[in-house]
Amino acid sequence: MTSIGGAEMVDWNLAVATATRLVRPGPEISREEAREVVAELRRHAKSAEEHVRSFTRMIPDGTEPEDTPVLVVDRAGWIKANVAGFRELLRPLLEKMQDRRGNSPGGAVLGAVGGKVTGVELGMLLSFLASRVLGQYETFAPAGRDLPASAGGGGRLLLVAPNIVHVERELEVDPHDFRLWVALHEETHRTQFTGVPWLRDHLQGEIQSFLDETDVDPMTVLERLREAAQSLAGGRPEGEAGEDDGRSLVEIVQTPAQREILGRLTAVMSLLEGHADYVMDGVGPEVVSSVGEIREKFQQRRARGASRLDQALRKLLGLDAKLRQYRDGERFVRAVVDEVGMDGFNRVWTSPNTLPTKAEIAAPEDWIARVHRKAES
């Protein structure tokens, strides 16, 4: 950002500054209690690793996958980590858009202004999310001075301490049980990516294919955004309701090719999220005595949303779709394990060809027939 001619498509520093300034403060907590929470979360992350590996049987005995760091962060730390991840993942797309913009009249000046506008908008979205995320396995995390990642080029586990404390207080559940319960979910994601060597590259390839299909003409993108905003705001003239009604902004701004890729990505994310929920509840009764109470209250909180504004933003960002991924994916995992056992389910990690399709997530018996019965015939 040293000159107008070299301006980036997104002012990343402004995104961090905006999100950090706008994010709500965390719960009131003494310095001593904060240190205790951080220490306990680190202990739970370590113990969760052993529980998840034993339950899932994804990592054979005697093997040790690549280590990834566990970071207990505040909301500002989560923001910095995610901006770094977005910047790395979107780099090819933004470079392509920057090349296109540079060849247009006034492109450099428009880019300098647009980069700041986009930085502010991204910062606003991150400020909303930063107070809600409990934990996250960052698959495409670049290593930084303050944010280490795995030596292989990506991967770190984040636990957002103030958000965990806020939710455990809101739900009035045992804080020690809740912290371990959250750690079990996030550790499952770490096990998925460290135990399945091809998964990260496959997911990155799908995302890059999705981004490659993005129409980089700025006017076309703006037109799609305008139409999407009208649809979400109910701004279509009467009688013009179409297939985009009821979908999020993320879903509407798609080409046909992107929608096909999005279907595959949705299936993978449903599998990963559902598997994490299944493992969290499967391990829970043995190590989290109040898991039943925690699950019931947490599910009610997920479905309820905090306010009308919260519900509107969830819809706009596609977070309602993420909630469906938890439910649909967990049902898929449970049905498959009930039918063919944990080792039979683990065939899902054999290759990209054994991942369930979006249709198979809704019909687990079809996945079993394709992967198991076809192989046995």
Side-chain angles (χ1 to χ4, degrees), residues 1 7 9-10 25 37 59 103 110-111 131 138 218 237 279 325 348 366:
M1 301 299 297
M9 295 292 295
V10 180
V37 170
I59 300 175
N103 296 327
L110 289 173
S131 62
E138 276 202 293
V279 172
Q325 288 174 4
V348 79
D366 291 347

Side-chain angles (χ1 to χ4, degrees), residues 192-263:
Q192 290 164 347
F193 284 95
T194 58
V196 184
W198 54 264
L199 184 58
R200 179 183 183 274
D201 289 343
H202 172 71
L203 193 58
Q204 185 174 31
E206 290 281 61
I207 293 172
Q208 289 304 326
S209 295
F210 181 90
L211 295 177
D212 287 343
E213 288 292 332
T214 299
D215 191 331
V216 296
D217 177 65
M219 294 307 297
T220 301
V221 173
L222 287 174
E223 180 65 17
R224 287 194 183 144
L225 288 171
R226 184 187 65 80
E227 292 175 357
Q230 286 184 345
S231 176
L232 290 166
R236 287 179 185 268
E238 187 176 355
E240 291 188 12
E243 65 173 7
D244 288 339
D245 286 357
R247 295 206 310 234
S248 73
L249 181 62
V250 175
E251 292 173 299
I252 292 171
V253 186
Q254 308 297 335
T255 66
Q258 282 178 311
R259 288 178 182 169
E260 184 177 334
I261 299 169
L262 184 64

Side-chain angles (χ1 to χ4, degrees), residues 45-46 49 53 59 64-70 137 148-157 187 190 193-195:
K46 184 62 179 177
E49 181 180 359
R53 289 187 184 186
I59 300 175
E64 192 62 33
E66 182 181 25
D67 189 31
T68 54
V70 176
Y137 182 76
S150 68
R156 58 180 167 231
L157 180 62
E187 176 57 38
R190 183 163 72 150
F193 284 95
T194 58

Side-chain angles (χ1 to χ4, degrees), residues 355-369:
L355 291 172
T357 64
K358 188 176 179 180
E360 288 171 340
I361 288 287
E365 64 277 5
D366 291 347
W367 180 86
I368 294 172

